[in-house]
Amino acid sequence: MASLENGQIRKAEIGKTTNPMVSGLLCDMYQFTMAYAYWKAGKHLDYAVFDLFHRKNPFRGEYTIFAGLEECIRFTANFHFEESEIDYLRTILPPTCEDAFFQYLQSIDCSDVKIYAIPEGSVVFPRVPLIRVEGPVLIAQLLETPFLNLVNYASLVTTNAARHRQVAGNEKILVEFGLRRAQGPDGGISASKYCYMGGFDATSNVDAGRRFGIPVRGTHSHAFVSSFMGLEEITNRSLQYSSGRQVCNDFVSLTQEWLRKLQAVSSLRGYFRETNRSELAAFISYAMSFPTQFQALVDTFDVLRSGIPNFCAVALALNELGYKSLGIRLDSGDLAYLSNETRKFFCIVEDEFAVTGFKELIITASNDIKEETIDALNKQGHEVDSFGIGTHLVTCSAQPALGCVYKLVEINKHPRMKLSQDIEKVTIPCKKEAFRLYGIEGYALLDIMKGENELAPKEGQRLLCRHPFSESKRAYVVPQRVEQLFKCFWAGNSGLPQEPLPSLTEIRERCKAQLKAMRSDHLRGLNPTPYKVSVTASLYEFIHSLWLSEAPVGELR
Amino acid sequence: MASLENGQIRKAEIGKTTNPMVSGLLCDMYQFTMAYAYWKAGKHLDYAVFDLFHRKNPFRGEYTIFAGLEECIRFTANFHFEESEIDYLRTILPPTCEDAFFQYLQSIDCSDVKIYAIPEGSVVFPRVPLIRVEGPVLIAQLLETPFLNLVNYASLVTTNAARHRQVAGNEKILVEFGLRRAQGPDGGISASKYCYMGGFDATSNVDAGRRFGIPVRGTHSHAFVSSFMGLEEITNRSLQYSSGRQVCNDFVSLTQEWLRKLQAVSSLRGYFRETNRSELAAFISYAMSFPTQFQALVDTFDVLRSGIPNFCAVALALNELGYKSLGIRLDSGDLAYLSNETRKFFCIVEDEFAVTGFKELIITASNDIKEETIDALNKQGHEVDSFGIGTHLVTCSAQPALGCVYKLVEINKHPRMKLSQDIEKVTIPCKKEAFRLYGIEGYALLDIMKGENELAPKEGQRLLCRHPFSESKRAYVVPQRVEQLFKCFWAGNSGLPQEPLPSLTEIRERCKAQLKAMRSDHLRGLNPTPYKVSVTASLYEFIHSLWLSEAPVGELR
């Protein structure tokens, strides 16, 4: 947790953004043209309220995990323009722009801004603001692009990770393997961070491990196997016993002996004849480097005819020296079939040689896995214990963008509303408060938004909840518990109390707990039940009267 | 172009990587476990050759644009481990790992590595290596993940941009708008860079503009419009004439006059009645800030009933003061219909008031545009001059990952080959050279790979070209021109001549020229003709004899 002083995070402490790519210029050009226009019109200090929200849950699902808030707060704390940045802005704005504007830009920061948000790692729903930004319109406007950039992908990939966890179940080990297919270096680093937040156990990305303290995992690649020509390459053949008290002088021969014993087992005869020698050399060499953590990639030549027997020979030799092996990784082929056959092989080995731990060797699968693959494997029956998931997880191939938007809802206390020919794009005006109402069984029933000056919902009190746009959709609710969703995460110089920024682990735990408080039919993969997002009766009336007053009247001819 | 001295880029000059996110730890964990195992086996100096290549073109297309090379070369030049990084590695590798290994890691760099590659911005095809890395296996292995990370997304998004350019045609203005939906900050910055490389004209991303000198564009958002309540907000109503010799004291009234004149035009009567006042105020205010570059977003309330008439009133007032406006942006609705109606409106205005330039006002569309949208608009007929493309472009939603891989093809001069149950995953062994053969009409006919010691193809000389895996697919070719594809971009300390790194603009031009040299049927969107990638007869024989010697023989029971 970031350090606190009377509930206030000191600016200097959170100001150091974790991401050196994020400067005040990481922004769409139109934010600067608007900034100039606001300033020129003398409107730059108008007090604006912007809502950041999404219109639709991703992945054909009915929930989203909100992520990226910490990065937004750090960006806010650090928000300013360097002289060199201002100099660049001068070159891209028209020469007619006045110098005093650039001087003004150089003077601004987020002292006068307040940021309210739903805590990071929460389960969230469309139209309920994730972040509310209040402050001078020029500055609040300049936060739009960076905030959207920092929230959109973070929330998308966290949600994707949570969905993979849902389908895999809590017992499986999920490791994120996406760095090589991620969208650039920082895409990879963000992916690792947010997949961990969404429920993954570890990452292959060393840099992310170092930055965020995420457990790091890895074995070897096909290239390692191919780099060996044969057993004669292993020149130092001695390996210490696990006890440290004895040395095996020829671990290579010991492994070869075990391979011969495996070849003699009648119930294994169908599986294999000669195994590949360079693969065996690679496995022996790897095991001698990591005798306490031996794990082998078994599909360089042929999983059942070569990889698994070679692995077992090495693991049995290690076992003789007192070392327990970790398991194997499959990176191609029919994962259900291969994992089942592999488990059978392990069981035969354990029974045949009266060794322990072989039946429980970890089978990792890592070939092009996605949510649907895991679901299909579950239906077929499989013996995979651990999934290494890369491409589809980090690129969110099922839906590679979350459409969060940032809309003006109030200026100088006047409610504002964006109309649109697409009803989906109409925004809910006003500075709002939002609440989650829980039912008798402890599950979340619905979210409700109210205007700033209305009374908050209360436990045990009946409340009419209305769909914001559909007249006939409404319901009375008597909440057993009421949770206020927004908290102040950036108070600027207002002196208001400010929420501390939780650690990544705390956010990860929050995500887990929040998912547990949702009814499972909202979370399921196929045809999930939509979760209700509503407004109070009085906010409903207000929205619709404002709408009528703003929309132009048509004329049919 | 990076500065040169006798054809050598000095290491210090390109060593400063442009991306502070890229350290030696931006790597999969298994590269480090393998590094330890190579070192422990005394194999770390084995001379390895790795090929980086893709197996399939993206977006159901038949070509790819290669990008990311400069970043790989900068990474190579800068490759080393800081003490703090080594300290972290000690914590994630097992405690059994020997100290001398970490000391060794701290001593390495890429002096002994050589990198050959196809120039960045080239049109490339599956299986032909994009990059060949040669050097000590431990070091070459540690380049795998960063290189894949730097090439995969770069090539994917550059290809996507090139495809958007193909479908839009050369006359349209294409602006990349993706920052807010990109996968993180650096995802956004990379996207802007590589979209420009692939043929876009500009970006909305200010930071990318500054870093890479890409033209930057932007107007205003809906929030700017909504932030105005009415005309009374505009307190300073005076605007200088374009000539600078006169001042209009009440630009607001002038605009209102023009709006009344528009309302009186009989042929416009069907379009609109009263327009939205806050929109008019916003447009006037924006125009007064940018009289030389007035461009308005017209769909906050209603495009034809409010946005376009308001825009025209302001543009006519500006015109009276000698200013030419830029045009409008549409961000919702039926873009074909709205752009056609808008053009009609502009034509009526030009004819009715005998003003010039209104017929050619630029119509920009920016709502969820993708390749298919442009194609559909082309078929329907539309009047859009400029596309602002974000989400689908930068996230490559049609296929969000390119599957480049990095495979060992030779070690200590021994050819290596990765077999697989998936034929797609079988690699072509050996250190290879690759050539593009051109036909009589100047178009590229096919690419061919040969082993290191074979003679190169020659102009006018008949050559048998074979499909690498399909026995019956072969053709004789008499090339009119032969282009050697690989050049040495990193010579390490070898003293070999090294290609200079071209500038972004030069790469962009290369990409354009390369696409021009391809037959259009390879490039088209629907059912494109596959481009042939072949091997020499002698390489074919070699691959297949190696394959037979490595693959285990099955036994049916």
Side-chain angles (χ1 to χ4, degrees):
Chain A
M1 203 180 288
S3 63
L4 301 181
E5 217 167 277
N6 305 325
Q8 285 288 116
I9 298 176
R10 271 170 298 162
K11 200 170 141 183
E13 276 168 15
I14 59 172
K16 232 190 128 219
T17 163
T18 50
N19 192 332
M21 298 304 279
V22 185
S23 80
L25 294 192
L26 190 74
C27 201
D28 286 311
M29 177 61 184
Y30 76 175
Q31 313 292 7
F32 291 103
T33 51
M34 283 192 277
Y36 182 70
Y38 285 133
W39 178 85
K40 186 87 171 107
K43 276 176 69 71
H44 52 293
L45 297 179
D46 281 12
Y47 196 80
V49 181
F50 283 92
D51 281 350
L52 187 153
F53 60 97
H54 61 306
R55 293 171 176 142
K56 212 169 163 304
N57 290 307
F59 312 122
R60 300 176 185 219
E62 292 295 346
Y63 70 100
T64 303
I65 310 290
F66 171 44
L69 178 62
E70 178 188 338
E71 290 197 70
C72 291
I73 300 300
R74 289 189 191 280
F75 178 83
T76 305
N78 196 43
F79 180 79
H80 73 287
F81 293 99
E82 303 284 345
E83 205 174 322
S84 63
E85 295 173 332
I86 302 274
D87 288 345
Y88 176 67
L89 288 173
R90 284 177 199 270
T91 69
I92 56 171
L93 281 163
T96 49
C97 289
E98 295 170 34
D99 194 60
F101 168 69
F102 296 104
Q103 285 164 25
Y104 178 71
L105 263 195
Q106 205 156 355
S107 75
I108 60 175
D109 63 22
C110 283
S111 307
D112 296 330
V113 170
K114 290 203 284 287
I115 297 175
Y116 292 81
I118 299 181
E120 188 159 4
S122 298
V123 177
V124 293
F125 302 97
R127 296 193 181 281
V128 180
L130 307 174
I131 301 179
R132 185 176 78 216
V133 177
E134 303 179 26
V137 66
L138 182 150
I139 295 170
Q141 185 78 69
L142 285 172
L143 300 180
E144 175 177 13
T145 311
F147 272 34
L148 288 175
N149 179 276
L150 293 169
V151 168
N152 265 326
Y153 177 62
S155 300
L156 184 72
V157 76
T158 305
T159 308
N160 204 18
R163 293 180 63 90
H164 280 79
R165 169 57 73 196
Q166 292 281 321
V167 67
N170 289 328
E171 291 68 37
K172 301 295 175 193
I173 302 162
L174 298 184
V175 187
E176 175 271 316
F177 272 8
L179 179 55
R180 61 186 58 195
R181 304 286 165 81
Q183 300 201 342
D186 162 71
I189 292 167
S190 310
S192 303
K193 172 180 172 180
Y194 292 111
C195 287
Y196 185 66
M197 189 182 283
F200 270 56
D201 298 299
T203 178
S204 68
N205 180 344
V206 177
D207 204 12
R210 186 176 58 142
R211 283 168 198 262
F212 309 115
I214 304 170
V216 176
R217 294 285 173 273
T219 51
H220 65 80
S221 70
H222 298 115
F224 182 79
V225 174
S226 310
S227 81
F228 283 81
M229 303 296 297
L231 294 171
E232 63 288 353
E233 275 183 89
I234 306 174
T235 47
N236 180 357
R237 293 174 156 228
S238 69
L239 182 63
Q240 214 174 35
Y241 278 63
S242 165
S243 62
R245 272 177 254 132
Q246 238 181 310
V247 169
C248 163
N249 288 319
D250 192 348
F251 186 72
V252 175
S253 297
L254 182 65
T255 304
Q256 285 178 295
E257 249 170 64
W258 275 109
L259 189 60
R260 279 190 296 274
K261 287 185 203 165
L262 283 168
Q263 279 164 329
V265 174
S266 61
S267 47
L268 293 178
R269 208 154 285 158
Y271 281 97
F272 72 106
R273 288 152 56 105
E274 287 300 310
T275 61
N276 186 288
R277 296 279 110 174
S278 34
E279 184 180 60
L280 184 62
F283 287 2
I284 293 175
S285 192
Y286 195 77
M288 292 174 77
S289 294
F290 299 102
T292 59
Q293 299 189 5
F294 178 53
Q295 190 175 13
L297 174 64
V298 293
D299 68 342
T300 304
F301 299 100
D302 189 303
V303 173
L304 299 172
R305 287 175 186 159
S306 185
I308 294 296
N310 278 337
F311 166 80
C312 284
V314 177
L316 283 161
L318 280 177
N319 182 69
E320 197 174 319
L321 273 56
Y323 295 106
K324 295 283 164 211
S325 296
L326 287 181
I328 58 108
R329 179 161 73 93
L330 297 168
D331 193 40
S332 57
D334 179 336
L335 298 174
Y337 170 75
L338 290 173
S339 68
N340 288 332
E341 289 297 302
T342 298
R343 183 72 68 206
K344 271 191 227 161
F345 201 111
F346 289 161
C347 291
I348 293 173
V349 168
E350 174 154 342
D351 294 339
E352 189 72 32
F353 299 108
V355 290
T356 58
F358 274 70
K359 290 182 181 177
E360 294 81 35
L361 282 165
I362 290 171
I363 299 175
T364 299
S366 62
N367 179 35
D368 220 28
I369 311 282
K370 51 185 167 183
E371 212 184 316
E372 291 77 11
T373 320
I374 301 175
D375 191 43
L377 284 171
N378 289 346
K379 282 169 187 151
Q380 288 171 73
H382 68 91
E383 285 288 341
V384 176
D385 306 296
S386 168
F387 291 98
I389 313 183
T391 312
H392 297 290
L393 176 66
V394 306
T395 65
C396 299
S397 60
Q399 182 187 322
L402 182 67
C404 278
V405 293
Y406 186 89
K407 294 291 172 191
L408 182 73
V409 292
E410 205 177 279
I411 191 145
N412 292 336
K413 299 272 170 193
H414 297 291
R416 305 307 284 156
M417 184 168 183
K418 189 204 163 299
L419 305 185
S420 175
Q421 269 126 319
D422 309 347
I423 178 121
E424 237 199 8
K425 286 192 163 188
V426 174
T427 61
I428 300 178
C430 304
K431 183 167 169 179
K432 299 172 287 291
E433 283 299 329
F435 301 85
R436 184 157 298 169
L437 309 187
Y438 291 86
I440 295 173
E441 288 170 1
Y443 291 117
L445 293 176
L446 54 72
D447 286 4
I448 186 163
M449 290 177 272
K450 68 166 192 70
E452 195 184 5
N453 300 319
E454 294 181 62
L455 289 176
K458 275 195 189 141
E459 285 172 26
Q461 217 164 65
R462 201 173 85 138
L463 181 70
L464 182 61
C465 303
R466 301 199 60 166
H467 186 287
F469 300 113
S470 179
E471 202 181 358
S472 61
K473 289 187 181 165
R474 52 214 169 134
Y476 282 106
V477 173
V478 183
Q480 299 303 303
R481 185 159 76 81
V482 174
E483 184 187 9
Q484 180 157 12
L485 294 178
F486 303 150
K487 295 188 166 147
C488 180
F489 282 91
W490 178 256
N493 286 344
S494 69
L496 288 175
Q498 188 173 286
E499 284 291 310
L501 292 176
S503 70
L504 177 57
T505 322
E506 288 167 329
I507 299 172
R508 188 169 184 265
E509 288 307 315
R510 177 176 189 87
C511 174
K512 240 189 237 179
Q514 285 255 318
L515 285 166
K516 246 186 159 171
M518 295 304 302
R519 251 175 31 216
S520 64
D521 58 315
H522 296 306
L523 306 180
R524 72 184 169 212
L526 193 68
N527 297 329
T529 314
Y531 179 85
K532 287 187 182 61
V533 169
S534 63
V535 295
T536 57
S538 121
L539 183 54
Y540 179 90
E541 295 304 333
F542 183 77
I543 294 168
H544 292 266
S545 67
L546 188 66
W547 195 341
L548 284 178
S549 75
E550 294 272 7
V553 183
E555 178 172 310
L556 294 175
R557 292 186 306 162
Chain B
M1 203 182 289
S3 64
L4 301 183
E5 216 167 277
N6 306 324
Q8 284 289 114
I9 297 176
R10 271 170 299 162
K11 200 170 140 182
E13 278 168 12
I14 60 172
K16 233 188 127 221
T17 165
T18 50
N19 191 330
M21 297 304 278
V22 185
S23 81
L25 294 192
L26 189 75
C27 201
D28 286 311
M29 178 62 182
Y30 77 175
Q31 313 291 8
F32 291 103
T33 52
M34 283 191 277
Y36 182 70
Y38 285 133
W39 178 85
K40 186 87 170 108
K43 277 175 68 73
H44 51 293
L45 298 179
D46 282 12
Y47 197 80
V49 181
F50 284 91
D51 282 350
L52 187 154
F53 61 97
H54 62 305
R55 293 170 175 145
K56 212 170 164 303
N57 291 306
F59 311 122
R60 299 176 187 218
E62 291 296 345
Y63 70 100
T64 303
I65 310 290
F66 171 43
L69 178 62
E70 179 186 339
E71 291 197 70
C72 291
I73 300 300
R74 290 189 190 279
F75 179 83
T76 305
N78 196 43
F79 179 78
H80 73 286
F81 293 99
E82 304 282 347
E83 205 174 321
S84 62
E85 294 173 332
I86 302 275
D87 289 345
Y88 175 67
L89 288 173
R90 283 177 201 272
T91 68
I92 57 171
L93 281 163
T96 50
C97 289
E98 296 170 32
D99 195 58
F101 168 70
F102 296 103
Q103 285 165 24
Y104 178 70
L105 262 195
Q106 205 156 354
S107 75
I108 62 176
D109 63 23
C110 284
S111 306
D112 297 329
V113 169
K114 290 202 283 287
I115 297 175
Y116 292 81
I118 300 180
E120 188 159 3
S122 297
V123 176
V124 293
F125 303 97
R127 296 195 181 280
V128 181
L130 308 174
I131 301 179
R132 184 176 79 217
V133 178
E134 304 178 26
V137 65
L138 182 149
I139 295 170
Q141 185 78 70
L142 285 171
L143 300 180
E144 175 176 13
T145 311
F147 273 35
L148 289 175
N149 178 276
L150 293 170
V151 168
N152 265 327
Y153 177 62
S155 300
L156 184 72
V157 75
T158 305
T159 308
N160 204 19
R163 294 180 63 91
H164 280 78
R165 170 56 74 196
Q166 292 281 320
V167 67
N170 289 326
E171 292 67 38
K172 300 296 175 193
I173 302 162
L174 297 184
V175 187
E176 176 271 316
F177 272 8
L179 181 54
R180 63 187 56 196
R181 304 286 165 82
Q183 300 199 343
D186 163 71
I189 292 168
S190 308
S192 303
K193 172 180 172 180
Y194 292 111
C195 287
Y196 185 66
M197 189 182 282
F200 270 56
D201 298 300
T203 178
S204 69
N205 180 344
V206 177
D207 204 10
R210 186 176 59 143
R211 282 169 197 262
F212 309 114
I214 304 170
V216 177
R217 293 283 174 276
T219 50
H220 65 80
S221 70
H222 297 114
F224 182 80
V225 174
S226 311
S227 80
F228 283 80
M229 304 295 297
L231 294 170
E232 62 289 353
E233 276 184 89
I234 306 173
T235 46
N236 180 357
R237 295 173 155 228
S238 70
L239 182 63
Q240 216 175 31
Y241 277 63
S242 164
S243 64
R245 272 178 253 132
Q246 239 180 308
V247 168
C248 163
N249 288 321
D250 191 348
F251 186 72
V252 175
S253 297
L254 182 64
T255 304
Q256 286 177 294
E257 249 170 64
W258 274 109
L259 189 59
R260 279 191 294 276
K261 287 185 204 166
L262 282 168
Q263 279 163 331
V265 174
S266 60
S267 48
L268 293 178
R269 208 155 286 156
Y271 281 98
F272 73 106
R273 289 151 58 104
E274 285 300 310
T275 63
N276 186 289
R277 296 279 111 174
S278 33
E279 184 179 61
L280 185 63
F283 287 2
I284 293 175
S285 193
Y286 195 77
M288 292 174 78
S289 295
F290 299 103
T292 60
Q293 300 188 3
F294 177 53
Q295 189 173 13
L297 174 66
V298 293
D299 67 343
T300 304
F301 298 100
D302 189 304
V303 173
L304 299 172
R305 288 175 186 157
S306 184
I308 294 295
N310 278 337
F311 166 80
C312 285
V314 176
L316 284 161
L318 280 177
N319 181 70
E320 196 175 320
L321 273 56
Y323 295 107
K324 294 284 164 211
S325 296
L326 286 182
I328 59 107
R329 178 161 73 95
L330 296 168
D331 194 39
S332 57
D334 179 336
L335 298 174
Y337 170 76
L338 290 173
S339 68
N340 289 330
E341 290 298 301
T342 298
R343 184 71 68 206
K344 271 192 227 160
F345 200 110
F346 289 161
C347 291
I348 294 172
V349 168
E350 173 153 342
D351 294 339
E352 189 73 32
F353 299 109
V355 289
T356 59
F358 273 71
K359 290 182 181 177
E360 294 80 35
L361 282 165
I362 290 171
I363 299 176
T364 299
S366 63
N367 179 34
D368 219 27
I369 310 282
K370 52 184 166 182
E371 212 184 314
E372 292 75 12
T373 321
I374 301 175
D375 191 44
L377 285 171
N378 288 346
K379 282 169 187 150
Q380 287 170 74
H382 67 92
E383 286 288 341
V384 176
D385 306 296
S386 169
F387 291 99
I389 314 183
T391 311
H392 297 290
L393 176 67
V394 306
T395 65
C396 300
S397 60
Q399 181 187 321
L402 182 66
C404 278
V405 294
Y406 186 90
K407 295 291 172 190
L408 183 72
V409 292
E410 205 178 281
I411 191 144
N412 292 336
K413 298 274 172 192
H414 296 291
R416 306 307 283 157
M417 184 168 183
K418 189 205 164 296
L419 305 185
S420 176
Q421 269 125 319
D422 309 346
I423 179 119
E424 235 198 9
K425 286 193 165 188
V426 174
T427 61
I428 300 179
C430 305
K431 183 168 171 179
K432 298 171 287 290
E433 282 299 327
F435 300 85
R436 185 157 298 169
L437 309 186
Y438 291 86
I440 295 172
E441 286 169 1
Y443 291 117
L445 292 175
L446 53 72
D447 286 4
I448 186 162
M449 290 177 272
K450 69 168 193 68
E452 196 184 5
N453 300 318
E454 292 181 64
L455 290 176
K458 275 195 189 140
E459 285 172 26
Q461 219 166 63
R462 200 173 85 138
L463 181 69
L464 182 62
C465 303
R466 301 199 61 167
H467 186 285
F469 300 114
S470 179
E471 202 182 357
S472 62
K473 289 188 181 164
R474 54 218 165 128
Y476 282 106
V477 174
V478 182
Q480 298 303 303
R481 185 159 76 83
V482 174
E483 184 187 8
Q484 180 157 12
L485 293 178
F486 303 151
K487 294 186 168 150
C488 180
F489 282 92
W490 178 255
N493 286 345
S494 68
L496 290 174
Q498 187 173 286
E499 284 292 309
L501 292 175
S503 69
L504 177 56
T505 321
E506 288 167 329
I507 299 172
R508 186 169 185 267
E509 288 306 315
R510 177 177 190 88
C511 175
K512 238 189 238 180
Q514 284 256 318
L515 285 166
K516 246 186 159 172
M518 295 305 302
R519 255 177 26 220
S520 63
D521 58 314
H522 297 305
L523 306 181
R524 71 184 170 213
L526 193 68
N527 297 330
T529 314
Y531 179 86
K532 287 187 182 62
V533 170
S534 62
V535 296
T536 59
S538 120
L539 183 54
Y540 178 90
E541 295 304 332
F542 182 76
I543 294 168
H544 292 265
S545 66
L546 188 66
W547 195 342
L548 284 178
S549 76
E550 295 271 6
V553 184
E555 177 172 310
L556 295 176
R557 293 186 305 164

